[in-house]
Amino acid sequence: MLYFKISRLLFPALWLVALWCSAAMADTVWLKNGDRLSGTVRSLEDGKLIMDTDWGGTLSLNWSAVSTLNSKNLITLRNSQTGESYSVKLEAAEAGWLTVVSSNQQEEKVAVSRIDDFMKAKVKSDRLTWSGNVDAGINLKHASTETQDTHFSFNNKISQGKWRHNSGATWNRETEDASVNTYNYSLRYAIDYTFREQFLLAGTRQLQA
């Protein structure tokens, strides 16, 4: 009889604890009309916030109706027209604002109405980009002596996110009547990392001969 009474008392307590844990782990969306929704936010795509709920299944909410939200896990910001996507956590701020936490734990406060612009800029900055040039040539001159000037150079820049890699090389060889008058080369490599807009870490290696 005592076991039965304890079980009757314990079951509601366990149910309340489970309910509280579920609510604590849920994502929360605050709407402009004052409503608050709990569930699991999946993605934001073309102005639609996709959210799974226990009480209403999968919801598609107009982003324009959202005031702020808090997500416990990474969600996907996606633009179907460009194919761009970006995984972030969203933390609630004051009405009309969000704190965006990227996968590498960088935080940035963004207006809810500008989330698409933020996503496009971040995806673009995380892409691998390359720029550079190559220059090569041979110059022959016939006079009382025969000279040949051969040169080669390249510059290379690779950027991805906050990292920048710069490298380059030059090579020059000049001969006169088969005798080498000039022969030199140089190699250069530099790496930069931007912590914030105000701070930059840079390192350089250079070899010349």
Side-chain angles (χ1 to χ4, degrees):
M1 180 66 68
L2 181 60
Y3 173 77
F4 177 72
K5 289 182 178 179
I6 293 176
S7 298
R8 290 185 61 185
L9 293 173
L10 188 59
F11 178 76
L14 291 175
W15 183 82
L16 289 174
V17 170
L19 184 63
W20 180 85
C21 290
S22 177
M25 296 177 61
D27 300 335
T28 304
V29 178
W30 287 267
L31 301 180
K32 292 179 179 178
N33 64 3
D35 290 346
R36 184 176 68 177
L37 307 177
S38 295
T40 302
V41 175
R42 297 299 183 188
S43 64
L44 172 62
E45 181 174 353
D46 293 343
K48 295 292 184 179
L49 184 70
I50 307 302
M51 181 179 188
D52 294 338
T53 65
D54 293 333
W55 47 270
T58 300
L59 304 180
S60 178
L61 306 173
N62 289 326
W63 183 248
S64 58
V66 174
S67 175
T68 188
L69 69 86
N70 190 71
S71 64
K72 303 296 184 181
N73 299 301
L74 292 174
I75 69 172
T76 301
L77 307 183
R78 183 182 298 111
N79 187 310
S80 62
Q81 295 180 349
T82 63
E84 297 174 332
S85 62
Y86 192 60
S87 296
V88 298
K89 286 177 63 178
L90 302 178
E91 296 182 352
E94 64 267 25
W97 291 85
L98 293 163
T99 298
V100 181
V101 184
S102 62
S103 56
N104 57 4
Q105 300 304 308
Q106 293 181 353
E107 297 184 3
E108 185 170 344
K109 195 172 183 179
V110 180
V112 172
S113 60
R114 302 299 300 273
I115 195 69
D116 283 341
D117 294 338
F118 168 84
M119 184 269 290
K120 292 174 184 177
K122 287 298 181 182
V123 171
K124 184 176 181 180
S125 69
D126 282 347
R127 286 179 172 172
L128 184 68
T129 60
W130 174 87
S131 62
N133 65 282
V134 176
D135 179 33
I138 298 177
N139 183 28
L140 298 175
K141 184 177 179 181
H142 296 276
S144 58
T145 60
E146 180 178 310
T147 61
Q148 177 177 313
D149 183 12
T150 307
H151 68 273
F152 170 83
S153 65
F154 81 87
N155 291 288
N156 183 68
K157 180 179 180 180
I158 298 175
S159 301
Q160 185 173 25
K162 295 181 177 293
W163 290 97
R164 293 198 305 260
H165 304 266
N166 290 275
S167 60
T170 62
W171 180 81
N172 184 59
R173 185 174 186 270
E174 183 179 333
T175 63
E176 182 176 354
D177 289 337
S179 297
V180 178
N181 288 342
T182 303
Y183 180 77
N184 53 56
Y185 64 87
S186 66
L187 300 173
R188 172 182 52 83
Y189 174 74
I191 184 170
D192 302 334
Y193 179 80
T194 304
F195 289 100
R196 293 180 180 270
E197 294 298 330
Q198 302 91 340
F199 301 104
L200 176 69
L201 176 66
T204 302
R205 294 285 293 176
Q206 190 164 344
L207 173 66
Q208 289 184 324

